[in-house]
Amino acid sequence: MGTDSRCRERDPDLAVVPGGGARHRGAHHARLARFAQGAGDSFLELLAVLAPVECVCCGSEDSALCGTCARHLRLLCSRPFRAEGQAPALLTVDGTVLLPVVAGGHYRDELAQALLSFKHLGQGRLASVLAPALGTAIRSAVGDGEGICLVPVPSSNAAFRRRGFSPVHLLLGRLRRLDALPGMHLADALKTAPGPGNGQKGLGRGERARRVRGSMTVRLLRKGSLEGRACVIVDDVLTTGATLAEAARAVSAAGGVVCGAVVLAATRPPAGRDLPTGGPAALPESTQTKNK
């Protein structure tokens, strides 16, 4: 019995690996990681002293959006829904849908405050939270569909001069860099047409529709790229739907097949009809004929 125990072979997987090289490399990387983490924390502390920031929602210090408010924002955008039911410009008089729209969340609370601060108060770092919410809405709308052209709605010339950027383009650009929209193509094809401007703040439904009518066109060098392609219009906020309807008209006129639209937030979601979307069925295959 004792002889058998002494002669029994030992499991090589339980043996200690000889040599200290691997242990040295592991410790070396750990020191570098600790140094990098410490340097990063020190930089953030220094930045907070030189340029103090507060949470745009609750006012807590040292962060443009604190962890609690960021979590609330993600919850607001966790269930994208169909939102065209309360956008009069996207419905006929008998209630037929002209352009289906998927919204990432309701335009209220943390989502509304973060989006306002991002667009108007120079809080560009909020893109790290808003972009994923928009990406969730887009994936919910189109599912695994490949070859979809995402067409962002352009900012008016006055708004672009005032902000220095287009909010929708910035968010979509971040998603593209993160490879968060595989199989989809970003087509920056729309531009604002020359005219008196298309600002809509403070305008009623009829005035909004008249102001944006004919305000968009497809860039000359992009018209051929939309011919016969399935297109989804992307904007930040849905109000009456006049802007989305005009964007869909311009894309359809250039030969694009408009399948629907996606927005980050909807200001007036349908009461009792906030149905979560479910992949490709969320948007019809084409609404080109209705939008002509």
Side-chain angles (χ1 to χ4, degrees), residues 17-49:
V17 178
R23 288 195 296 273
H24 171 73
R25 288 194 295 270
H28 178 66
H29 282 302
R31 285 197 298 269
L32 283 179
R34 287 195 296 270
F35 175 78
Q37 180 66 39
D41 293 342
S42 299
F43 175 76
L44 291 177
E45 292 176 2
L46 178 62
L47 188 62
V49 173

Side-chain angles (χ1 to χ4, degrees), residues 213-217 244-254 258 291-292:
R213 189 176 299 124
S215 64
M216 296 183 201
T217 185
L244 289 179
E246 170 60 17
R249 180 206 62 77
V251 171
S252 295
V258 180
N291 288 319
K292 282 188 176 180

Side-chain angles (χ1 to χ4, degrees), residues 83-92 99 101 205 238-242 244 268 270:
E84 72 276 0
Q86 292 295 316
L90 304 179
L91 302 172
T92 63
L99 184 70
V101 181
R205 182 177 67 185
L238 171 68
T239 49
T240 65
L244 289 179
R268 298 191 298 172

Side-chain angles (χ1 to χ4, degrees), residues 47-248:
L47 188 62
V49 173
L50 297 178
V53 295
E54 295 180 348
C55 175
V56 299
C57 297
C58 69
S60 60
E61 297 180 350
D62 300 337
S63 176
L65 191 68
C66 70
T68 300
C69 292
R71 183 167 61 254
H72 290 165
L73 189 151
R74 287 192 292 269
L75 287 174
L76 284 171
C77 299
S78 61
R79 299 185 65 201
F81 57 89
R82 287 283 293 272
E84 72 276 0
Q86 292 295 316
L90 304 179
L91 302 172
T92 63
V93 291
D94 62 355
T96 302
V97 175
L98 296 175
L99 184 70
V101 181
V102 172
H106 299 172
Y107 188 73
R108 59 180 173 85
D109 302 334
E110 288 83 5
L111 178 57
Q113 190 59 50
L115 189 50
L116 281 172
S117 299
F118 171 66
K119 293 175 63 175
H120 303 298
L121 300 180
Q123 294 288 355
R125 68 190 73 185
L126 294 176
S128 62
V129 180
L130 296 174
L134 179 60
T136 298
I138 292 174
R139 288 189 297 272
S140 180
V142 304
D144 298 327
E146 295 186 357
I148 298 291
C149 284
L150 302 177
V151 184
V153 172
S155 297
S156 66
N157 294 330
F160 188 86
R161 288 192 299 269
R162 184 171 63 252
R163 299 175 187 145
F165 68 97
S166 169
V168 180
H169 288 76
L170 194 152
L171 295 177
L172 287 176
R174 184 180 182 90
L175 290 173
R176 181 174 60 179
R177 289 192 299 273
L178 296 174
D179 197 23
L181 301 172
M184 302 180 207
H185 173 64
L186 179 57
D188 184 15
L190 291 176
K191 68 174 183 176
T192 54
N198 59 347
Q200 302 179 59
K201 188 174 181 179
L203 299 180
R205 182 177 67 185
E207 287 298 324
R208 283 174 179 263
R210 285 189 289 271
R211 178 66 64 88
V212 302
R213 189 176 299 124
S215 64
M216 296 183 201
T217 185
V218 173
R219 301 176 189 275
L220 183 61
L221 298 179
R222 294 278 186 166
K223 289 186 177 181
S225 64
L226 296 181
E227 185 71 35
R229 299 288 299 274
C231 299
V232 172
I233 312 298
V234 183
D235 203 1
D236 51 3
V237 180
L238 171 68
T239 49
T240 65
T243 300
L244 289 179
E246 170 60 17

